Amino acid sequence: MSGKLMRGAVTLAVLLGGWQALVWLTGLPRYLLPGPLAVADAMRRQAPLLMQHGATTLMEILLGLVLGVALGSVSALLLARFRTARRWLMPLLVVSQAVPVFALAPLLVLWLGYGMASKIAMAVLVIYFPVTTALFDGLRRTDPGWLDLARTMGATPAATLWTIRLPAALPAFWSGVRVAAAVAPIGAVIGEWVGSSSGLGYLMLHANARMQIDLLFAAVLVLGLFAVALYVAVDALARRALPWQPDTQPADDPVG
């Protein structure tokens, strides 16, 4: 086991041990704070139910991530390529972040229904901004020397964008995708809370209404595992997509 995995396992064990000790020492009833042993038992007993609702939420997250990254990438390219697009889209991009996500969720459910479409749209809204801003920031921070060389060689603006600015912006783009992978579950679950007939968010609401707090914690844990797995997968994909840019970290950095 590598050092990072070992530290992660030790940290998780300490957190779970502290959680269980808090439950034992305070004597809190299960309907207020179930211990990790009770949550693990609920996961075992309700595994089929968690898998059923988890599959719905996972599909919403993945589709929302794909669509959000695609839409954000196209928007960033338009912003970088066309001055008119910057004039019209940039204010809309800023205003879109001033509106609370919770305020849009009921409208999306009203317009798109209680099915998967409204939850995917909610995830796209959460993902869109970090991907767009990260890629656009990378596109406009290209090394000026490279741009001067492209102009000297007579490259068109479009050719400069695709052959120089876009490859140089890939590290920033993947940083945005990493953030998007971490926040993608938020949009899907918010949509399920507002109105749905399946999904982990739906299961959380019903478990809470029935005082099945151990099942609620189990659903939260499954959602957290989805988020971690998605982030790790995106991070691994980013490392493979950027072989020329390995991680650099000081040798005395205790985090390494």
Side-chain angles (χ1 to χ4, degrees):
M1 182 181 294
S2 66
K4 289 185 178 180
L5 290 178
M6 177 66 73
R7 287 191 293 272
V10 171
T11 300
L12 180 61
V14 171
L15 291 175
L16 293 177
W19 177 7
Q20 187 66 58
L22 176 64
V23 173
W24 284 337
L25 293 175
T26 59
L28 289 171
R30 178 174 292 191
Y31 64 83
L32 288 181
L33 181 64
L37 295 179
V39 174
D41 183 62
M43 293 185 69
R44 179 188 60 80
R45 291 183 290 101
Q46 301 289 354
L49 185 65
L50 290 168
M51 291 177 62
Q52 174 188 345
H53 290 281
T56 299
T57 300
L58 182 59
M59 182 62 65
E60 294 166 354
I61 293 172
L62 293 177
L63 291 177
L65 182 63
V66 171
L67 292 176
V69 170
L71 183 60
S73 300
V74 171
S75 299
L77 290 172
L78 290 175
L79 290 171
R81 178 66 180 84
F82 301 106
R83 186 185 302 272
T84 303
R86 289 195 293 273
R87 291 175 179 173
W88 288 94
L89 291 181
M90 187 57 72
L92 294 177
L93 187 64
V94 175
V95 170
S96 69
Q97 297 306 298
V99 180
V101 177
F102 271 106
L104 298 176
L107 293 175
L108 292 176
V109 172
L110 178 64
W111 294 337
L112 301 177
Y114 285 83
M116 192 175 291
S118 58
K119 289 49 173 195
I120 295 174
M122 199 69 202
V124 169
L125 286 178
V126 174
I127 292 165
Y128 173 74
F129 184 77
V131 173
T132 303
T133 54
L135 180 55
F136 178 58
D137 188 62
L139 288 170
R140 66 179 182 175
R141 296 183 183 278
T142 309
D143 189 335
W146 296 353
L147 299 179
D148 291 339
L149 179 60
R151 283 191 292 267
T152 301
M153 299 181 67
T156 64
T160 301
L161 174 64
W162 289 106
T163 60
I164 296 179
R165 297 178 65 187
L166 184 58
L170 286 180
F173 165 74
W174 281 108
S175 295
V177 176
R178 287 187 183 97
V179 175
V183 301
I186 298 175
V189 170
I190 289 176
E192 291 173 353
W193 284 346
V194 173
S196 65
S197 58
S198 63
L200 292 175
Y202 169 85
L203 183 61
M204 291 176 197
L205 290 179
H206 280 258
N208 185 59
R210 293 178 173 85
M211 300 301 290
Q212 297 175 318
I213 309 303
D214 51 353
L215 179 58
L216 189 153
F217 270 81
V220 172
L221 181 59
V222 171
L223 185 65
L225 291 176
F226 283 168
V228 172
L230 189 59
Y231 181 89
V232 171
V234 169
D235 185 66
L237 185 61
R239 293 172 187 272
R240 293 181 65 88
L242 302 171
W244 67 87
Q245 193 179 52
D247 289 340
T248 56
Q249 190 166 277
D252 58 349
D253 191 342
V255 179

